[in-house]
Amino acid sequence: MGNRDSAHDNPVRHRRKELRITQAELAKTVGVSRQTIVAVEQGDYAPSVFLALGLGRALGATVEELFGDAEVKEPEDRGIGA
Amino acid sequence: MNHKHSTLDRAAERLIDIDNVSHGDERERAIYMEASTFGMTLGIWGCFFASLVFAIFGQILLPVVLISVAMIPSYGTLWFANRRGVNTLELLSRGSYRSGLTSAVSFAVVLLLTLAAIIYSAYFGRGLLQFEVTFEVVGDGLAEVAVQGALIGAGVGAVLGVVWVALIIRGHKKKRYKEPAPGDDT
């Protein structure tokens, strides 16, 4: 599971802040719940390729930029949507 | 998911309603599936332990029914996954041998204890433990009235349950549409 520290330097969160959009707005744009955006930003959930591409489009970034540095966790700790 | 669906597959998917939008986005759906598995596992273990308890108290038919019911989710899972090219037994073989074996042995132990208790009851004509509840019916037709009352009560309870769930869903819908979207969390 992720934690608050990792959430603060999360690329998704960083890019969203740069664009000055709220989690709710981003969630609406990509068609997921706000809780899912929170989970992605906190590193608790590894999004599917489709959602990652959607987030990339919405944030004007590549998937590599948003998730390229994401830690590869052990299977038991990994998000469920990978 | 994209599959070539037969009528049977479509019926199975209609039954679980997996693509219904009410199941939320991909994370919520994944959590929902995990929660369903958790509930199913609890149900299976509940059936197994209940069958053991009833067998200890001398019941024969009820434990057999409970064990049979407990088998349905497992066979349903095997069948559904197999229709989509996923061999669940092969999946289990990829996990640790110990965890798979622990689960299988636990089920086998409860099943064997249940069978032993059933055999004991069948052989000796009584259960390992005795527990009898007797009801004395006073007055003509009282039992009939009690049954009618129970049926009416169950019916009213079922209707109230549906209404309660409908009200909760409606409340969530209203909340979602009326309340302004919550701002940034931090």
Side-chain angles (χ1 to χ4, degrees), chain B:
Chain B
M1 284 187 274
N2 295 317
H3 301 289
K4 285 186 177 178
H5 295 225
S6 70
T7 308
L8 204 57
D9 290 325
R10 282 198 299 273
E13 286 181 5
R14 178 66 63 89
L15 184 68
I16 59 173
D17 204 14
I18 195 168
D19 288 327
N20 191 318
V21 71
S22 67
H23 288 170
D25 62 37
E26 60 177 47
R27 185 189 66 91
E28 290 169 324
R29 283 165 53 137
I31 297 286
Y32 179 85
M33 287 299 137
E34 281 193 347
S36 299
T37 307
F38 173 71
M40 189 184 79
T41 307
L42 273 186
I44 291 172
W45 274 110
C47 280
F48 268 79
F49 278 113
S51 70
L52 176 60
V53 170
F54 282 116
I56 287 171
F57 284 109
Q59 298 286 325
I60 292 176
L61 186 61
L62 193 53
V64 173
V65 170
L66 284 172
I67 288 170
S68 305
V69 168
M71 298 288 187
I72 294 172
S74 303
Y75 284 112
T77 304
L78 286 171
W79 176 83
F80 192 92
N82 196 45
R83 296 282 293 185
R84 281 145 187 81
V86 175
N87 186 337
T88 46
L89 296 176
E90 197 271 331
L91 273 183
L92 285 176
S93 73
R94 290 187 212 166
S96 80
Y97 191 68
R98 192 177 174 181
S99 71
L101 201 64
T102 305
S103 179
V105 167
S106 305
F107 276 113
V109 166
V110 176
L111 192 61
L112 286 173
L113 288 173
T114 305
L115 289 175
I118 289 173
I119 290 168
Y120 179 91
S121 301
Y123 192 76
F124 291 103
R126 60 184 169 81
L128 283 162
L129 298 175
Q130 303 294 319
F131 182 75
E132 285 186 15
V133 178
T134 53
F135 294 98
E136 192 177 336
V137 178
V138 182
D140 292 336
L142 192 60
E144 210 171 291
V145 171
V147 169
Q148 284 175 358
L151 287 173
I152 291 168
V156 170
V159 171
L160 287 177
V162 170
V163 170
W164 180 63
V165 171
L167 286 174
I168 287 176
I169 290 172
R170 196 178 162 196
H172 280 297
K173 276 185 188 291
K174 273 187 178 176
K175 197 176 168 188
R176 193 158 53 241
Y177 289 121
K178 278 187 177 176
E179 278 185 2
D184 214 356
D185 63 332
T186 51

